Amino acid sequence: MSLDHRLSAEHEELRRTVEEFAHDVVAPKIGDFYERHEFPYEIVREMGRMGLFGLPFPEEYGGMGGDYLALGIALEELARVDSSVAITLEAGVSLGAMPVYSFGTEEQKREWLPRMCSGEILGAFGLTEPECGSDAGGTRTTAVREGDQWVINGTKCFITNSGTDITGLVTVTAVTGRTEDGRPLISSIIVPSGTPGFTVAEPYSKVGWNASDTRELSFADVRVPVENLLGEEGRGYAQFLRILDEGRIAISALATGLAQGCVDESLRYAKERRAFGRPIGDNQAIQFKLADMEMKAHTSRLAWRDAASRLVSGEPFKKEAALAKLYSSTVAVDNAREATQIHGGYGFMNEFPVARMWRDSKILEIGEGTSEVQRMLIAREMGLMG
């Protein structure tokens, strides 16, 4: 395959459009939402009108007919300004709508996708549990079939987009049976918001991503029709391994955006801030920091675009997705730390975007597979089973 990851004219037009939206609409407003820990409904609605939630889906389901590369481009440009808005889009598409599109029946697709693609509703993905994070196979939530219904009991935690006023559904993984040797059969089931017994907790108090929605969910004898099974019974774990592989590309694009945003803000500051009678950017120590930050963001961009290109062309991409996610999240943390250092005391003030970026960066080494999990996946793809 070609390693030329320069954008097509169509993708470049999308990039410019989202860049303009991020700077003109998101940047002036998001700081206030962030400080109030408030979900930015008006910004999300505008993203829906732009078609961002439908980027990688076919037009027949209300999508824009694009691809995963287009989604990554949008995520990177948004995250250059703010990660709360970017993760709302990432989770809404990669974790909310993509499972329905990839594994749903035709009826499920037509019922849910048009509204998710338009941003009218958000979908969420309920995998993580209080005692089951990286070990997704340790799921304790259960779903027992009683007649024509599934009865769900359990708890999920750290679920993005699960408690907003426009959340329409949460797809949850649950144990629906056991194999002959006692291993759990994990299935995926769609639970519409407002279903009796489905309780959404108050938002978490978080270090970062403060303008995004993250909640704990509980299910107490929640009953949904058997038709809400997503894909084959017992295949939920395999389904979401695939979804997480794809999602790592999206997180890598988001992390790249944050890393580049740190460069943008630090370069601007280094040209404007004066010390000892001259701009601090005249100092070689600052120049070298910025050069290293730019190098890392550039390489991160190549990594996620390579993985996305492989996905789009139907090639194997598991290792490349893990490589991209591992590298990009590390770079995001590194650049956020250096950006704060370049800004000095101002970098510790929330009025400066780098303060948000510093707070938002760390979760990128944890969510959708920790850095340790990425190293495990990479080693396995290299033939080291362990």
Side-chain angles (χ1 to χ4, degrees):
M1 64 171 290
S2 170
L3 293 179
D4 183 357
H5 296 310
R6 288 174 293 184
L7 300 181
S8 66
E10 184 178 359
H11 282 132
E12 176 58 24
E13 182 180 0
L14 170 67
R15 190 202 65 77
R16 288 197 302 267
T17 299
V18 180
E19 178 186 36
E20 181 179 344
F21 171 76
H23 284 277
D24 294 349
V25 177
V26 179
K29 301 176 181 178
I30 197 61
D32 290 339
F33 286 106
Y34 196 94
E35 288 304 303
R36 297 195 302 266
H37 293 227
E38 183 179 326
F39 190 78
Y41 286 101
E42 61 181 275
I43 293 176
V44 172
R45 280 193 291 270
E46 181 62 26
M47 290 162 60
R49 287 192 289 268
M50 293 173 64
L52 299 187
F53 287 96
L55 276 174
F57 301 111
E59 294 179 9
E60 63 180 301
Y61 300 119
M64 299 294 288
D67 54 25
Y68 224 86
L69 181 59
L71 173 64
I73 291 166
L75 290 170
E76 181 179 336
E77 291 302 322
L78 288 172
R80 286 178 73 164
V81 170
D82 180 72
S83 291
S84 292
V85 170
I87 195 60
T88 299
L89 176 62
E90 191 279 334
V93 175
S94 297
L95 302 180
M98 192 59 73
V100 176
Y101 174 66
S102 298
F103 309 114
T105 64
E106 190 64 24
E107 291 75 17
Q108 288 170 337
K109 292 178 185 179
R110 296 200 177 278
E111 178 180 1
W112 295 110
L113 285 178
R115 287 185 289 162
M116 286 195 280
C117 287
S118 69
E120 177 187 344
I121 63 172
L122 295 174
F125 165 41
L127 173 67
T128 304
E129 300 184 2
E131 298 182 17
C132 163
S134 298
D135 179 20
T139 299
R140 295 189 177 185
T141 297
T142 61
V144 178
R145 182 165 179 172
E146 293 185 2
D148 60 355
Q149 294 182 323
W150 291 106
V151 182
I152 305 171
N153 285 279
T155 303
K156 300 291 182 179
C157 62
F158 311 139
I159 310 304
T160 305
N161 291 347
S162 59
T164 73
D165 293 344
I166 57 174
T167 300
L169 75 151
V170 178
T171 300
V172 299
T173 51
V175 177
T176 55
R178 298 277 173 179
T179 62
E180 291 183 358
D181 59 0
R183 289 179 297 169
L185 289 171
I186 298 176
S187 303
S188 307
I189 301 173
I190 296 173
V191 180
S193 298
T195 302
F198 174 23
T199 303
V200 180
E202 290 298 308
Y204 289 105
S205 175
K206 297 175 293 186
V207 172
W209 285 359
N210 287 336
S212 74
D213 179 79
T214 316
R215 316 264 186 145
E216 182 176 273
L217 312 177
S218 62
F219 304 86
D221 291 332
V222 172
R223 294 178 177 269
V224 298
V226 293
E227 291 80 13
N228 283 26
L229 180 72
L230 188 64
E232 299 179 34
E233 184 177 353
R235 294 289 297 168
Y237 186 57
Q239 290 168 0
F240 282 107
L241 287 179
R242 166 75 185 199
I243 291 298
L244 289 174
D245 284 340
E246 296 179 358
R248 286 171 185 135
I249 300 174
I251 290 293
S252 178
L254 190 158
T256 300
L258 188 151
Q260 188 64 58
C262 289
V263 177
D264 299 340
E265 294 296 329
S266 297
L267 182 60
R268 183 182 303 112
Y269 185 80
K271 291 178 178 179
E272 296 174 353
R273 173 66 169 165
R274 300 181 66 86
F276 303 103
R278 61 179 183 172
I280 64 171
D282 286 356
N283 297 314
Q284 194 174 69
I286 301 298
Q287 294 171 1
F288 281 10
K289 282 183 184 295
L290 281 163
D292 286 345
M293 291 164 66
E294 177 74 2
M295 173 188 67
K296 291 176 180 179
H298 176 77
T299 308
S300 179
R301 183 174 302 109
L302 294 178
W304 84 253
R305 287 188 184 178
D306 175 53
S309 296
R310 292 172 185 272
L311 168 59
V312 170
S313 63
E315 300 178 51
F317 66 94
K318 180 186 286 287
K319 182 178 75 173
E320 288 73 18
L323 286 166
K325 201 274 184 181
L326 174 61
Y327 183 75
S328 300
S329 59
T330 303
V331 164
V333 172
D334 289 347
N335 277 16
R337 183 181 61 250
E338 294 288 30
T340 303
Q341 192 70 22
I342 289 171
H343 279 71
Y346 289 110
F348 207 62
M349 301 296 111
N350 284 327
E351 65 187 277
F352 283 77
V354 294
R356 287 203 312 272
M357 294 171 178
W358 184 61
R359 291 163 66 179
D360 291 340
S361 64
K362 181 57 188 175
I363 188 61
L364 297 171
E365 295 184 315
I366 299 171
E368 294 203 38
T370 64
S371 294
E372 291 75 16
V373 166
Q374 304 315 309
R375 290 183 169 90
M376 289 167 50
L377 293 172
I378 294 165
R380 288 175 185 171
E381 290 297 306
M382 295 171 65
L384 303 170
M385 300 306 293

